[in-house]
Amino acid sequence: MRAFKEVMSWVIPVIIGLLIALLINQFFHFVRVDGPSMQPNLQNNERVVCYRHEKIHRGNVIVFDANGVDPQVSKKTDYVKRVIGLPGDTVKSQNGKLYVNGKEVNQDYISQVQRNQGTGNWTLKSISKRNNWLSHNGATKVPAGEYFVLGDHRSVSNDGRYWGFVPQNKVTGVVKVGFWNRKQPARNNVNNQWQHYFK
């Protein structure tokens, strides 16, 4: 009996710990940002939290599995990008300005230089034809059940301008920057940008 109690004294905490870990994993996922594509708001090797069941808005930063999205990726790989267009949206870029459904997007989260030099001039139709997206060649709107994403550091970001749309079933969740990031503007640009998406 004493031996049983001793065994249970360490088995029960282990089981409780595993259950807590499983529960946390159902709602949260910790991700390491890889590369400079989300600068200046997220830095290379920065750790962020991904909320798995959060509703996706325009302007949210999301994590998704790029395997099957980016043709250059052949195994599970987390990409971190910003949602520009929701299903059914039209998107275009002209002279450093982004337009979604004809409305100008508030891009205060990046500099004027990044907007002008990095984003380019295009519409969904022009980039889908230029890059020969086989399933969406000549697309004029974001397809149902998919998202159009860009990196914040547009001049270096490998994003939707090159390989197309992100299916909803590839999305892990919405990124939130934790208290450990002391740069308040960067936190707001990731955590709250969707609340003032249009100018």
Side-chain angles (χ1 to χ4, degrees):
M1 192 66 172
R2 185 177 174 184
F4 176 76
K5 285 182 178 179
E6 285 182 9
V7 169
M8 293 308 290
S9 70
W10 61 265
V11 167
I12 289 174
V14 168
I15 291 172
I16 290 172
L18 287 172
L19 288 173
I20 290 171
L22 286 170
L23 189 62
I24 288 172
N25 194 50
Q26 285 295 311
F27 296 96
F28 306 105
H29 176 59
F30 292 91
V31 177
R32 183 180 62 83
V33 177
D34 185 16
S37 74
M38 287 301 293
Q39 290 174 345
N41 296 301
L42 295 173
Q43 305 301 319
N44 183 38
N45 288 323
E46 182 174 348
R47 295 278 178 179
V48 294
V49 181
C50 173
Y51 287 62
R52 290 186 182 276
H53 302 292
E54 184 128 336
K55 182 178 179 181
I56 296 174
H57 301 273
R58 297 181 194 94
N60 278 150
V61 176
I62 61 170
V63 177
F64 61 94
D65 179 10
N67 184 19
V69 177
D70 180 352
Q72 298 178 16
V73 175
S74 58
K75 63 180 182 179
K76 185 177 183 340
T77 305
D78 285 336
Y79 275 16
V80 179
K81 305 290 179 187
R82 190 179 297 274
V83 173
I84 302 299
L86 298 176
D89 283 348
T90 62
V91 184
K92 79 171 184 176
S93 174
Q94 187 171 16
N95 301 324
K97 296 180 179 179
L98 275 178
Y99 298 91
V100 172
N101 301 327
K103 296 179 182 178
E104 186 179 347
V105 172
N106 177 5
Q107 295 186 86
D108 290 346
Y109 53 90
I110 57 175
S111 70
Q112 192 66 50
V113 171
Q114 287 172 307
R115 294 175 228 172
N116 290 337
Q117 294 181 0
T119 310
N121 293 324
W122 44 264
T123 64
L124 290 181
K125 186 173 184 178
S126 71
I127 55 176
S128 66
K129 285 190 169 183
R130 182 176 69 216
N131 295 303
N132 194 28
W133 301 344
L134 296 179
S135 58
H136 299 301
N137 197 295
T140 57
K141 294 183 177 182
V142 180
E146 303 191 34
Y147 302 98
F148 182 73
V149 299
L150 296 176
D152 286 356
H153 192 348
R154 307 270 169 77
S155 60
V156 301
S157 179
N158 173 28
D159 52 38
R161 293 170 292 174
Y162 307 106
W163 35 253
F165 307 103
V166 179
Q168 192 171 13
N169 64 7
K170 287 287 186 177
V171 177
T172 307
V174 174
V175 168
K176 298 292 182 184
V177 175
F179 63 87
W180 53 86
N181 184 327
R182 297 185 180 186
K183 297 178 181 175
Q184 186 67 37
R187 279 207 312 269
N188 288 339
N189 289 340
V190 173
N191 296 352
N192 305 319
Q193 179 60 32
W194 65 273
Q195 295 174 346
H196 46 95
Y197 186 70
F198 291 112
K199 279 205 164 189

